[in-house]
Amino acid sequence: MHLRALGYWRSDTNDRLPHPANLVDTTWDGNERALVVDYLDDGRTGRRFMGVSLCRICGAHNGGDEKTDGVYVWPSGLAHYVEHHGVRLPKEFVEHAIRQSEELEASTVDRTWWAEQTAGA
Ligand SMILES: [Zn+2]
């Protein structure tokens, strides 16, 4: 599986990555931002890191896992940057999160499968 990583920050070993403070956008629509926070929180836990990372902006303890939706992968602490500091993520990811959420909301549910699988029990 090929995942696209986001939410990783500049370090001594990788200066091509951004610093989160440079991505803060206080004009970002609050509803869209809240949806993205929920989406990030809802990701499946992937790898667990050894240790906790600290927020690069406020220094708070900020998670030690990676999360994924099967397309993207991000550190679990990314939601904190979006929620508490207004770090704005790329349009392509935001549109992806909105689309996934809308599709889930609009989905139909098969209510017979469970009963068939467990018939007689
Ligand atoms: Zn912070």
Side-chain angles (χ1 to χ4, degrees):
M1 188 155 53
H2 185 74
L3 301 171
R4 189 183 269 180
L6 80 158
Y8 295 86
W9 311 120
R10 185 172 301 161
S11 69
D12 294 341
T13 53
N14 195 341
D15 64 2
R16 295 191 60 214
L17 294 174
H19 189 284
N22 296 332
L23 297 178
V24 169
D25 178 359
T26 54
T27 68
W28 189 10
D29 176 73
N31 291 329
E32 190 175 284
R33 191 167 136 184
L35 185 147
V36 169
V37 169
D38 285 347
Y39 189 81
L40 291 170
D41 279 337
D42 284 348
R44 225 165 53 224
T45 298
R47 293 183 299 172
R48 288 174 203 280
F49 298 133
M50 297 298 289
V52 169
S53 74
L54 301 178
C55 173
R56 303 289 183 92
I57 296 175
C58 72
H61 284 249
N62 197 23
D65 298 328
E66 255 181 358
K67 292 198 168 198
T68 181
D69 63 1
V71 178
Y72 290 89
V73 60
W74 58 90
S76 60
L78 183 56
H80 167 88
Y81 288 98
V82 176
E83 184 173 15
H84 294 278
H85 302 300
V87 168
R88 189 166 193 164
L89 303 179
K91 192 166 181 268
E92 195 175 337
F93 177 78
V94 172
E95 287 173 353
H96 168 80
I98 291 170
R99 203 165 47 241
Q100 296 290 312
S101 302
E102 283 173 351
E103 275 175 19
L104 195 60
E105 237 168 80
S107 57
T108 56
V109 178
D110 177 357
R111 303 245 174 233
T112 61
W113 179 85
W114 171 240
E116 286 162 14
Q117 297 300 312
T118 55

